[in-house]
């Protein structure tokens, strides 16, 4: 019932904004390219007859009115920002699948009971501004507005400043009633493709803990400074990278533990590094195991500090417990998948999604489609058109069920 | 005989150019601050009656004429560029001690037989542009001019472009006869201070090998990507940091092995790093051991590559064998030290110096003074005024012996 070609064409059109040489996308949150992506979405949504509102965190809502405007909207959405070396589907797919739902309803002159809205959430990736999903987090009351607007990038520019600069500092207050929220997304992992399933019925998302660590030693000359008296912050950081990896392996099979970002100071070839900043990302679907992993991380760090050569500042900057999605919404996704006859399996999300925060304020469900080789956060990220269509079809079915309930 | 207060005041005056909050200096090669430092030196040298020439690598020569202008000059010098978090003495001391020698000869109306020159060598540190001592290397015929001018910083700006920009792309051809070369420098290590010696009579400099390594794996999402299938370039780099440190420790007591610089791509908290660039600096006074250390480095890298997850590009970008200084020049330093009655010991330089390349084309010697806690390449780098005076006194004595020989 949805128009798969139209959805695909819109995805490819959006992918031109920030396109990279390797076929990916670099459209960091609140850059000029993000603005261009937002402007294109807003234009398309207006062309589809929607009214547009923007809240103080720059979240965009495109609304198609229902028979009963006083009902809380059934909402879908995702994000348009990308990783520095991101792909054409992560986030964008959920936004444009939502738009395709609206366009399909228009084609059919279909009037839903509740209004239907497509949301574009600001800075989901957490790459330019940490943490991830900060704007859906403010929407859901997990963070307050000041916290959200004051998140700064590595050059010290805040989300508040950058929202104003690109013209997306909206006037709507944060948060509003949502009847149900669905988010379609690529899996970003290898399970569905490996098992040849078209749809992942997402029952949970794993929990996450993010840390920032600064290790401080002493800068000294790489030539005349004897090895035994060195206080090499990079050596400490290197040991932590291995410790974090070990924590991931030791809590197999589902644990993930990653050091993704590292800055070395002064970063000069013949200077023993005096300071290293790095981040740690720990994930597990079981909150108790996630806490144990955090303990293991602190223990590994303390072991290095106990040697007396380095000092550390360490802060947990992001935590959310594993998220169970709403039973009725999961059932709606399951029903729509069955009605369309798509192969499927239940799945736990390894990534965080705006849906994880929406789940705090609305019944929420998610739909996964496979991606090639399970690769995401990579320019080669790819998906087959039939998967893209299938996920959107399921999204339409689930939303209609709830919008007419 | 030299004027210690005048030398100290000049050092403190020069230290204002690029002064940092922590009392150090950031005056990277061929920046505007480097130009200001050069301009100040040139002004002082002209005030002392010198003629100034600049060669095509931007090396500056301040000449005080001798009785016999056709004799090759007795030269001293060092550099004015610093590390990003550098100190007030590294390099600058050798330049301004040379200037103080000229000023003292003026005070005494002393005419040397051979001309005396003070050289300022471009980009000794090798921090903004790798490798180190590149301009004295071109002067000594170790590198050709095109190589020197094409060295680029991390933003792709070449030494040739930057020399032109700051007005120090001189017209003198590279290289000229030098009767003898002496360089005064802080030790940059802990030995002299620990043994309470004022003067280090430098007999050798240890050899160095610098490598650049790029490890490539695959970027992927830090959440849904199972640990066992990851191709984490930072994990490989972290293991190499530890391997390099182990090579330094295993070749104790004099070996040094350092990873000073590392760049992680895409450097995003929730992306498994797909690529890491890092540098390796290996040093040893025995060329055979230095070669063995390089073998150990390659073996450690190959062990990681053999696991089949990462690929590597590796290049040795800098090598020089350990340098024995000239017996007569060392003897001149020893005699001047004895004449002044300074406590002293023979010492091997752990750092590279322009003197290491000058040694290829002229009889060369070096004079070390202690630095506080042996700390250099650090903003807290410090030296006592009496050490600073003593080293200059020895420099004067050694230069006079050779200039009148
Ligand atoms: N879906 C996605 O890539 N989200 C980014 C936040 C995370 O790292 O889980
Ligand atoms: N003296 C000094 O710091 N030279 C820099 C080159 C080296 O790393 O040895």
């Amino acid at each position: 019932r949805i128009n798969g070609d139209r959805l695909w064409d819109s995805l490819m059109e959006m992918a031109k904004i920030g396109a990279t040489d390797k076929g990916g996308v670099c459209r960091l949150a609140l850059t000029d390219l993000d603005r261009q992506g937002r402007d294109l979405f807003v234009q398309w949504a207006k062309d589809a007859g929607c009214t547009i509102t923007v809240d103080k965190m720059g979240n965009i809502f495109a609304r198609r009115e229902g028979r009963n405007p006083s009902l809380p909207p059934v909402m879908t959405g995702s994000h348009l920002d990308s990783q520095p070396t991101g792909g054409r589907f992560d986030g964008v797919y959920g936004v444009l699948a939502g738009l395709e739902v609206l366009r399909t309803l228009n084609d059919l002159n279909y009037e839903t009971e509740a209004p239907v809205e497509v949301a574009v959430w600001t800075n989901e990736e957490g790459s330019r501004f940490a943490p991830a999903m900060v704007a859906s987090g403010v929407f859901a009351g997990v963070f307050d507005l000041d916290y959200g607007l004051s998140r700064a990038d590595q050059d010290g520019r805040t989300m508040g400043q950058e929202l104003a600069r690109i013209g997306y500092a909206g006037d709507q207050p944060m948060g509003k009633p949502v009847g149900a929220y669905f988010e379609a997304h690529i899996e970003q992992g290898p399970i569905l493709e490996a098992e040849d399933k078209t749809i992942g019925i997402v029952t949970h998302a794993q929990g996450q803990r993010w840390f920032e660590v600064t290790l401080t030693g002493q800068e000294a000359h790489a030539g005349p400074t004897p090895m035994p008296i060195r206080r090499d912050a990079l050596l400490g950081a290197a040991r932590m990278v291995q410790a974090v990896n070990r924590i991931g392996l030791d809590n197999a099979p589902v644990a993930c533990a990653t050091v993704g970002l590292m800055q070395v100071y002064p970063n000069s070839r013949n200077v023993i590094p005096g300071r290293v900043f790095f981040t740690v990302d720990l994930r597990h679907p079981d909150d108790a195991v996630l806490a144990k992993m955090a303990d293991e991380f602190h223990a590994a760090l303390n072991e290095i500090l106990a040697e007396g050569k380095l000092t550390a500042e360490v802060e947990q900057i992001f935590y959310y417990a594993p998220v169970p999605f709403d039973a009725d919404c999961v059932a709606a996704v399951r029903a729509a998948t069955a009605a369309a006859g798509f192969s499927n399996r239940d799945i736990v999300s390894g990534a965080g999604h705006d849906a994880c925060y929406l789940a705090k304020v609305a019944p929420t469900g998610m739909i996964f489609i496979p991606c090639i080789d399970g690769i995401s956060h990579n320019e080669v990220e790819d998906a087959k058109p039939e998967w893209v269509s299938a996920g959107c079809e399921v999204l339409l079915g689930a939303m209609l069920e709830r919008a007419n309930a």
Side-chain angles (χ1 to χ4, degrees), chain A:
Chain A
R1 302 224 307 267
I2 63 102
N3 184 335
D5 290 343
R6 180 170 56 190
L7 170 53
W8 186 264
D9 290 346
S10 295
L11 281 164
M12 294 308 113
E13 190 67 25
M14 186 63 84
K16 290 180 184 161
I17 300 172
T20 66
D21 290 348
K22 294 188 189 157
V25 169
C26 177
R27 198 168 52 228
L28 296 179
L30 308 188
T31 56
D32 288 342
L33 290 168
D34 188 12
R35 171 180 37 203
Q36 287 177 43
R38 289 163 172 263
D39 288 352
L40 181 60
F41 170 78
V42 166
Q43 189 53 53
W44 281 340
K46 283 183 176 164
D47 292 347
C50 293
T51 52
I52 303 291
T53 52
V54 180
D55 72 17
K56 291 181 192 297
M57 283 300 297
N59 298 316
I60 306 169
F61 303 95
R63 180 181 179 98
R64 184 176 186 273
E65 204 45 274
R67 209 172 355 249
N68 186 345
S70 67
L71 282 175
V74 169
M75 193 182 277
T76 187
S78 197
H79 59 97
L80 293 176
D81 68 314
S82 84
Q83 291 287 334
T85 54
R88 298 169 300 166
F89 299 91
D90 177 2
V92 196
Y93 172 56
V95 171
L96 298 184
L99 182 69
E100 177 54 32
V101 165
L102 301 190
R103 286 168 167 170
T104 299
L105 296 178
N106 288 347
D107 292 346
L108 302 171
N109 265 316
Y110 189 108
E111 205 178 8
T112 52
E113 187 63 23
V116 172
E117 293 195 9
V118 179
V120 176
W121 305 105
T122 299
N123 186 52
E124 190 270 352
E125 293 290 358
S127 181
R128 180 172 175 202
F129 304 96
M133 297 118 63
V134 63
S136 53
V138 176
F139 181 91
V142 176
F143 306 122
D144 62 30
L145 180 60
D146 285 348
Y147 173 86
L149 293 175
S150 64
R151 294 307 87 207
D153 68 9
Q154 297 221 16
D155 300 322
R157 286 169 301 202
T158 65
M159 289 188 65
Q161 288 164 353
E162 288 293 275
L163 278 168
R165 190 184 65 80
I166 70 165
Y168 276 92
D171 55 7
Q172 295 295 303
M174 296 307 301
K176 59 180 178 183
V178 176
Y181 180 78
F182 293 97
E183 183 166 345
H185 209 282
I186 56 168
E187 178 197 342
Q188 311 186 277
I191 298 170
L192 293 176
E193 193 191 31
E195 297 188 7
D196 204 14
K197 306 289 190 199
T198 301
I199 297 292
I201 298 164
V202 188
T203 57
H204 300 77
Q206 60 183 351
Q208 300 190 27
R209 289 180 185 266
W210 287 16
F211 298 88
E212 291 184 350
V213 185
T214 303
L215 282 179
T216 303
Q218 183 175 48
E219 287 133 49
H221 197 303
T225 310
M227 300 301 292
I229 68 169
R230 294 178 173 211
R231 295 170 50 200
D232 183 341
L234 181 56
L235 182 62
R239 289 166 65 187
M240 283 307 299
V241 169
Q242 287 195 264
V244 165
N245 186 62
R246 172 63 34 222
I247 291 166
L249 291 168
D250 286 351
N251 292 282
V254 283
C256 284
T258 310
V259 176
L261 185 153
M262 185 176 282
Q263 305 277 15
V264 179
Y265 301 91
N267 220 26
S268 183
R269 294 158 194 256
N270 43 0
V271 183
I272 299 161
R275 184 158 49 93
V276 177
F277 173 85
F278 63 95
T279 63
V280 176
D281 172 326
L282 304 179
R283 306 192 184 199
H284 201 279
D286 178 337
D287 204 32
V289 180
L290 185 59
K292 178 173 88 79
M293 290 168 68
D295 290 344
E296 290 167 357
F297 154 69
H298 286 295
L301 189 58
N302 287 335
E303 205 173 293
I304 290 170
L305 300 182
E307 294 167 9
K309 299 201 165 189
L310 304 179
T311 58
E313 281 172 60
V314 50
E315 192 184 350
Q316 179 178 292
I317 62 144
F318 187 40
Y319 162 61
Y320 69 82
V323 179
F325 288 116
D326 176 74
D328 292 341
C329 288
V330 173
V333 171
R334 195 183 304 284
T337 304
F342 296 128
S343 61
N344 64 83
R345 62 161 281 166
D346 288 8
I347 194 165
V348 174
S349 175
H353 296 285
D354 296 302
C356 299
Y357 282 144
L358 268 291
K360 299 206 176 279
V361 290
T364 294
M366 287 196 77
I367 301 151
F368 274 1
I369 60 168
C371 56
I372 304 286
D373 295 331
I375 288 292
S376 180
H377 287 192
N378 187 312
E379 290 159 272
V380 304
E381 179 186 276
D382 205 1
K384 291 189 187 164
E386 56 264 36
W387 300 337
V388 165
S389 294
C392 185
E393 197 72 53
V394 173
L395 178 65
L396 172 67
M399 288 183 77
L400 280 186
E401 197 215 281
R402 297 300 304 215
N404 296 327

